[in-house]
Amino acid sequence: AASERDVQVYIQGKAQKSGADLLWQLIGIAAQSKGRLRSDHGVYNDGSPESAIVKILLNDGASATTRASQSRPLGGAVVYHEKLNECLPVDDAGHADGKQKVEELIMRGRRREAVEEAIQCGDYATALLVATMCDTETYRRATIAFAQNAFPSDSPMTTVAMLFSGALQVPDSGVIPTDLWGVSANELRASWKRHLAGIISNRIVGWDSIVLSLGDRLRGCGEIMGAHFCYMVCGCPISSPLRDGTRLC
């Protein structure tokens, strides 16, 4: 039988080989970290497995070319919220009128309506400012509107904005919808590494379920290596392929 050292040398040799796939590199990180892929301090500790994971994701996952035109939003990412209507450009006069309406609504204490008006006229800064004094749903709506306007759907900044607002989450039912990652299959194949790096670097409660959802979406796109990478990172158990719901076997 091979000794522990022999196994370590074999894994590290595979992981460090030029052109090694990400799964071997991930296994190498686990081997160096005594089988762990997460720690208490996450990426804030330079020697943590999370830091090493983010490093290989960002080194391997060069950003896809940013499109000049706005792409569609992350369809389904907000599982409890209807998609926002597209805000059409307005002229200066219309923008000024919208700001005046926002001001009048705020003067009357109608903050939620003021947020809606600010969103409609494209004044996302005011919408976010006022939304901080409203309920959680209104704040999320303002954040979603801003993110959809500011970033393309395949940008990791969209994912991070959704994380910060609490909009990117798995339903209470625990049933993880694969359409949570509503970008096209080609976009996701090109950008999943940066999405995952953003999630790992900005962990929130339930982040592992979000990564599980990303893995399921990648599997549905035929990106098997990426799916297994996500499953390993979020701690999916290894189980029999005969069991329902098995992801790693």
Side-chain angles (χ1 to χ4, degrees), residues 48-109:
S48 69
E50 292 95 337
S51 291
I53 292 169
V54 168
K55 182 178 180 180
I56 65 171
L57 286 170
L58 295 182
N59 285 345
D60 190 78
S63 179
T65 302
T66 302
R67 296 180 301 278
S69 59
Q70 290 184 1
S71 59
R72 73 176 182 283
L74 259 173
V78 189
V79 296
Y80 49 79
H81 201 293
E82 297 178 358
K83 291 181 181 178
L84 293 167
N85 293 327
E86 183 179 359
C87 294
L88 298 176
V90 295
D91 56 26
D92 291 340
H95 189 67
D97 288 344
K99 283 199 168 188
Q100 186 173 2
K101 289 179 182 178
V102 171
E103 183 177 318
E104 290 296 325
L105 289 167
I106 292 175
M107 293 305 100
R108 287 170 171 76

Side-chain angles (χ1 to χ4, degrees), residues 116-214:
E116 293 294 331
E117 184 63 39
I119 290 172
Q120 291 304 315
C121 71
D123 187 0
Y124 300 104
T126 298
L128 285 167
L129 177 62
V130 177
T132 60
M133 299 302 295
C134 298
D135 56 275
T136 302
E137 175 83 10
T138 302
Y139 177 70
R140 285 174 178 167
R141 175 167 169 77
T143 306
I144 296 162
F146 166 74
Q148 291 177 350
N149 177 264
F151 312 117
S153 62
D154 59 348
S155 168
M157 281 302 299
T158 302
T159 298
V160 172
M162 297 295 185
L163 283 172
F164 288 167
S165 70
L168 189 61
Q169 57 182 278
V170 176
D172 293 336
S173 65
V175 178
I176 302 170
T178 55
D179 64 350
L180 191 64
W181 305 94
V183 292
S184 72
N186 287 337
E187 286 178 331
L188 196 56
R189 289 190 192 100
S191 63
W192 72 266
K193 300 179 187 71
R194 296 181 68 81
H195 284 290
L196 181 57
I199 295 169
I200 295 172
S201 297
N202 300 278
R203 292 190 307 194
I204 61 170
V205 174
W207 71 273
D208 45 355
S209 295
I210 296 171
V211 173
L212 182 65
S213 172
L214 176 58

